[in-house]
Amino acid sequence: MIKKSSLFFLICLFSLCAHAQIAFEKGYFITNSGEQIDCLIKNLDWKNNPDRFTYKISEEADAQTKTAQEISEFKVGNYKFIKAVVQINRSSDLAARLEGTREVKSEAEELLLQHLIEGNANLYYYEEGNLRRFFYARESLKPKQLVYKKFRKPDNTIGENNTYKQQLWNALKCDGISKRFIDKTSYKTSTLTNLFVTYNKCTDANWVDATTKEKKDYFNIALRPGINFSSLEVNRLDRSVKYDGAASFRIGLEFEFILPFNKDKWALLFEPTYRNYQSTTTQNLSFSPDLIILDADYSSVEFAAGIRHYSFITKNSALFFSGYMLNDMELNSSVSALTLSRSRLKVNPLSNFAIGLGYRLFGKFSLELRYDFPREIIRAFDYGSDFKNLSVIFGYTFL
């Protein structure tokens, strides 16, 4: 009955996760003719630069889509994208795919660039898979690529074309920016942003960075106590023993890293957990006239590594779906052998997988139902086993 109820709960919760939506946020877009349309835009916290977006004219209106070809600019939350025809170099920076020449070949493309810094000097960004390129412009001029390229030298070492540093030195003249400052600026968002912020503050005492993102906590630690409902079946040749199901306490510590894109919907997980299963059963084995008591004692520290997807219901609540890979470090565990001597079999569990569905409230409290796929825990000659587990886990995020 418990298994059927749990399965029904998992199916219902998964269905809710699938249909939960991120709320539309206030924003605008500008048409190719220059008309600004105020609307609600679905903020996907983009990792890759988009080529389209979904919007509503009002809360009650149907969702519609605009492509990059139809607009010149759009903004939602801390994201602003502008359309521009730019020269872009698409050579790979991956070591295995580096070109053998320092020369940079670029082609004209119409792209939506993310506007990172806006002021007397503008910084733009474009990302597509492993491709990352920065662009700059003084005031209202068209964006130009900051040229950077990794290449493979004849001696098979990796060289760098750092033309972007000369571009920056020529464009960003200011008392607060030295040649050493430019030379230390790497081709990364953090250092380039810092440089452009410094320049705009230097050239405009009233300049304010309007694109600064809200700081977020991307790393969480949660205490995870719960209850395990476990069962074990051991078989040898034509004999099989089912141990009584048992409920036991579990305690874990979950480390969660929120991936900084796609509206905080994805996270990487690592959770060490202490668990213990103890059970007995009586058997009337064919080689003994008496009932034989068999017992199982399975204690371990379980290491779960996985990924989680959040579907936000409101600002303070979310459903989530998790997938885990499980590895056990058993702690002096053993099971009675199916023999008259009842010798002990050492527990030696294999890795396996688990899935979980849950609910999180206020970013602090959570409740998860987790199902472990059946696991082989005895690897002795001519023995087999089937360990099953269902967990109800309570979580409290304290850091």
Side-chain angles (χ1 to χ4, degrees):
M1 184 65 181
I2 293 177
K3 291 183 179 179
K4 289 183 178 179
S5 298
S6 300
L7 181 60
F8 177 74
F9 176 75
L10 284 168
I11 292 172
C12 290
L13 197 53
F14 179 78
S15 179
L16 287 171
C17 280
H19 289 89
Q21 298 291 328
I22 297 175
F24 284 71
E25 300 176 13
K26 288 184 179 180
Y28 71 81
F29 65 86
I30 298 176
T31 66
N32 288 327
S33 61
E35 180 185 5
Q36 178 171 317
I37 307 296
D38 295 323
C39 60
L40 300 170
I41 295 177
K42 192 173 184 180
N43 186 345
L44 298 179
D45 201 17
W46 295 270
K47 180 181 184 294
N48 294 318
N49 286 43
D51 59 4
R52 64 193 64 229
F53 61 90
T54 303
Y55 74 99
K56 293 181 179 181
I57 295 299
S58 67
E59 287 283 3
E60 297 76 22
D62 293 334
Q64 303 180 63
T65 299
K66 284 290 183 183
T67 65
Q69 290 73 29
E70 299 175 282
I71 56 100
S72 61
E73 176 182 316
F74 82 90
K75 184 178 188 301
V76 58
N78 292 311
Y79 285 95
K80 180 180 178 181
F81 293 93
I82 64 112
K83 183 171 69 176
V85 176
V86 293
Q87 293 287 330
I88 183 171
N89 164 43
R90 287 186 172 271
S91 61
S92 177
D93 290 333
L94 298 177
R97 300 176 60 186
L98 292 180
E99 294 181 354
T101 175
R102 187 178 187 277
E103 181 184 358
V104 176
K105 297 180 180 179
S106 301
E107 294 186 2
E109 294 186 34
E110 185 178 74
L111 303 171
L112 281 177
L113 304 179
Q114 184 182 353
H115 207 157
L116 293 181
I117 299 295
E118 187 172 0
N120 290 333
N122 296 277
L123 178 65
Y124 306 91
Y125 180 63
Y126 183 80
E127 181 171 350
E128 181 184 327
N130 293 315
L131 180 73
R132 296 174 180 85
R133 296 290 184 265
F134 292 92
F135 299 80
Y136 77 104
R138 289 286 305 277
E139 299 172 342
S140 59
L141 298 177
K142 291 184 178 180
K144 293 183 179 179
Q145 182 182 324
L146 288 168
V147 176
Y148 171 77
K149 179 183 178 180
K150 287 184 177 181
F151 61 95
R152 190 169 299 281
K153 295 181 178 180
D155 61 1
N156 214 32
T157 60
I158 295 176
E160 292 183 334
N161 180 338
N162 291 313
T163 300
Y164 76 94
K165 293 183 178 181
Q166 186 61 50
Q167 291 174 285
L168 293 172
W169 176 242
N170 294 338
L172 306 183
K173 297 292 186 182
C174 178
D175 291 340
I177 298 177
S178 64
K179 188 67 166 62
R180 179 177 173 80
F181 190 169
I182 297 290
D183 289 340
K184 292 177 65 177
T185 300
S186 56
Y187 202 75
K188 296 179 181 178
T189 302
S190 57
T191 55
L192 285 169
T193 295
N194 181 50
L195 175 64
F196 276 74
V197 167
T198 301
Y199 176 81
N200 284 318
K201 286 181 176 179
C202 179
T203 57
D204 182 359
N206 298 317
W207 180 82
V208 176
D209 184 5
T211 58
T212 301
K213 286 190 174 185
E214 176 187 356
K215 291 186 178 180
K216 300 178 181 179
D217 292 326
Y218 288 110
F219 183 70
N220 301 316
I221 302 178
L223 187 65
R224 302 247 296 173
I227 301 173
N228 288 335
F229 299 94
S230 309
S231 64
L232 174 63
E233 180 176 348
V234 178
N235 53 74
R236 180 188 183 216
L237 301 177
D238 60 344
R239 295 193 295 274
S240 179
V241 173
K242 292 184 178 180
Y243 289 82
D244 296 335
S248 60
F249 181 72
R250 55 97 72 194
I251 182 70
L253 194 64
E254 180 185 82
F255 300 88
E256 179 186 50
F257 176 69
I258 306 294
L259 297 178
F261 56 84
N262 200 213
K263 208 63 176 175
D264 302 336
K265 292 198 298 181
W266 292 94
L268 300 179
L269 311 169
F270 178 72
E271 181 184 6
T273 301
Y274 172 76
R275 59 185 301 164
N276 174 253
Y277 168 75
Q278 293 180 325
S279 182
T280 60
T281 187
T282 56
Q283 291 289 310
N284 187 357
L285 301 178
S286 59
F287 48 76
S288 172
D290 301 317
L291 289 176
I292 293 179
I293 299 176
L294 302 174
D295 68 280
D297 186 351
Y298 174 22
S299 299
S300 70
V301 176
E302 179 182 78
F303 298 96
I307 190 166
R308 176 172 293 157
H309 176 71
Y310 287 99
S311 291
F312 294 95
I313 303 171
T314 67
K315 182 179 179 180
N316 294 317
S317 63
L319 298 171
F320 62 83
F321 173 78
S322 306
Y324 304 89
M325 181 175 181
L326 309 177
N327 287 283
D328 258 17
M329 181 177 71
E330 64 86 20
L331 304 174
N332 197 28
S333 302
S334 62
V335 174
S336 297
L338 304 184
T339 63
L340 188 60
S341 65
R342 284 174 290 170
S343 56
R344 309 297 294 180
L345 297 172
K346 183 174 176 57
V347 170
N348 190 9
L350 292 172
S351 301
N352 76 321
F353 299 92
I355 55 173
L357 284 167
Y359 177 74
R360 188 168 185 176
L361 184 65
F362 301 122
K364 289 285 186 181
F365 307 98
S366 66
L367 176 66
E368 181 179 13
L369 183 65
R370 191 162 93 185
Y371 171 75
D372 297 6
F373 290 96
R375 169 184 284 182
E376 180 78 56
I377 68 168
I378 297 174
R379 286 184 271 173
F381 178 70
D382 73 11
Y383 275 89
S385 60
D386 194 10
F387 182 78
K388 299 177 182 178
N389 185 71
L390 182 71
S391 303
V392 178
I393 305 169
F394 305 92
Y396 173 70
T397 301
F398 61 89
L399 185 65

